[in-house]
Amino acid sequence: MAERAGVSVKTASNVLNHHPHVKASTRERVEAAMAELHYRPNLSARSLKHGRAGFLALAVPAMDSPYFAELAARITEEAAALGFIVLLDVTRGDADAERVVLEGMRSHVVDGVIFSPLALSADEIGSRADSLPMVLLGEPPVPSDVDHIAVDSVAAARAATEHLVAQGRRRIAAVGRETTRGTASARLLGYRQALEAAGLAYDGTLVIGVPHVERADGHAAMQRLLALPEPPDAVFCFNDLMAIGALRACVEAGVSVPDEVAIIGFDDIAETRYANPTVSTISPDLTGLARAALELLSRRIDGHDGPAEEVRVAWTLEARETTLGVPERRRSQPTEEVPAPDRPSASAAPVDPLDPADPADPADPVAAEAGVTGSVTR
């Protein structure tokens, strides 16, 4: 493979092991050679050479969540490039299931674990006896001696709320999980910081805590907000599923989005790009997150014993139609007349704005709002 790519064996090995200090052009040549030769790392040989099993564990709260499904796909891809196979463990955010991950019951078959906990405290995570290399994801309380990778939810939530303020919104609601720690707490903090910076008073009646973070939770929360004597003119949902549910509630109530209520979410799941109107959101760099997690974990597996690292992953604010409105070219697009059918038919049902079969073209989202991005810091 090195001969085909015109590089040294060491350089080819660095590409296979995802070494960060390889020129992009060199990496592309090696990857092209891998594809031409149908090269696949020999996990058994690698295990004999490095004392590895060749497997990693990925423990996440759910796989029916689009965010975690996409994250798992990115991690699996990055792990494969390093010669690892990923074994999935779904904890459902249950404390007992998360303790099983910490106690290392599977450590005899995996080389390391990437773990996104919800239920456990920093003390519990920090007191684990198992020495299996581990990288934590998300924003739970994190012990200082464990590698941790996350989006800066405070900064991103602040940017999302500031975007609503910039659109002239003054009664801005927030919808998130009922918790005093972790991701929801961080995003609530960012929301409050933006309100304070804009000179807007915090109003507890506009903050809706929900038991879960599904579409139904966003739908129910939006119904409560619309029933207030003075409803909000904007809503920041702490994830996209709740934003989709909130949008549906507005459709059912005859409330125009964004003319009467603007909506922004978090995660940039695919559904936001194909809803009608398209949903504004915070888009985390999942590829960067997966790559950083695998780089950290593989170094620990190779014996690196330096201090624990804290990595912040890039994000972008994607300003779309639920905050900016539908572009004029779509508003003024003529509707093609369809000939009446030969047989009698019922009156056409109204188009569902969330139905992917809507003939409007929602696949052209407004470009990301210029200059509103996060950054990777260590």
Side-chain angles (χ1 to χ4, degrees), residues 4 41 44 77 103 124 126 144 202 341 345:
R4 175 69 65 93
S44 296
E77 291 168 4
E103 290 164 3
E124 283 187 280
S144 60
Y202 174 80
S345 63

Coordinates of all heavy atoms in Angstrom, one line a residue, residues 4 41 44 77 103 124 126 144 202 341 345:
R4 N 2.2 1.8 -3.5 CA 1.2 2.3 -4.4 C 1.0 3.8 -4.2 O 0.8 4.5 -5.1 CB -0.1 1.5 -4.2 CG -1.3 2.0 -5.0 CD -1.1 1.8 -6.5 NE -1.1 0.3 -6.8 CZ -2.2 -0.4 -7.1 NH1 -3.4 0.2 -7.2 NH2 -2.1 -1.7 -7.3
P41 N -7.4 -3.3 7.7 CA -6.5 -3.7 8.8 C -6.8 -5.1 9.3 O -8.0 -5.5 9.5 CB -6.7 -2.6 9.9 CG -7.3 -1.5 9.2 CD -8.2 -2.1 8.1
S44 N -6.6 -9.2 14.1 CA -5.9 -10.2 14.8 C -4.4 -9.9 14.9 O -3.8 -10.1 16.0 CB -6.2 -11.6 14.2 OG -7.5 -11.9 14.2
E77 N -17.3 5.2 12.0 CA -16.4 5.5 10.8 C -15.0 5.8 11.3 O -14.0 5.3 10.7 CB -17.0 6.6 10.0 CG -18.4 6.3 9.4 CD -19.0 7.5 8.8 OE1 -18.5 8.6 8.9 OE2 -20.2 7.4 8.3
E103 N -18.0 -0.1 35.8 CA -17.4 -1.2 36.5 C -16.6 -2.1 35.6 O -15.9 -3.0 36.1 CB -18.5 -2.0 37.3 CG -19.1 -1.2 38.5 CD -20.4 -1.8 38.9 OE1 -20.8 -2.9 38.4 OE2 -21.0 -1.2 39.8
E124 N -19.3 9.6 41.4 CA -19.4 8.2 41.0 C -18.5 7.9 39.9 O -17.8 6.8 39.8 CB -20.9 7.9 40.7 CG -21.8 7.7 41.8 CD -23.1 7.2 41.4 OE1 -23.9 8.1 41.0 OE2 -23.4 6.0 41.6
G126 N -15.8 9.5 39.0 CA -14.4 9.6 39.4 C -13.9 8.5 40.3 O -12.7 8.2 40.4
S144 N -12.1 15.6 37.3 CA -10.9 16.2 36.7 C -9.9 15.3 36.1 O -9.0 15.7 35.3 CB -10.2 17.2 37.7 OG -9.8 16.4 38.8
Y202 N -35.4 38.0 33.0 CA -35.7 36.6 33.0 C -37.1 36.4 33.6 O -37.5 36.9 34.6 CB -34.7 35.9 33.9 CG -35.0 34.4 34.1 CD1 -34.7 33.5 33.1 CD2 -35.6 34.0 35.3 CE1 -34.9 32.1 33.3 CE2 -35.8 32.6 35.5 CZ -35.5 31.7 34.5 OH -35.8 30.4 34.7
P341 N -59.0 15.1 -11.7 CA -59.0 13.7 -12.0 C -60.3 13.3 -12.7 O -61.3 14.0 -12.6 CB -58.9 13.0 -10.6 CG -59.5 14.0 -9.7 CD -59.1 15.3 -10.2
S345 N -63.4 12.9 -6.5 CA -62.5 12.8 -5.4 C -62.9 13.7 -4.3 O -63.5 14.7 -4.5 CB -61.0 13.0 -5.8 OG -60.9 14.4 -6.2

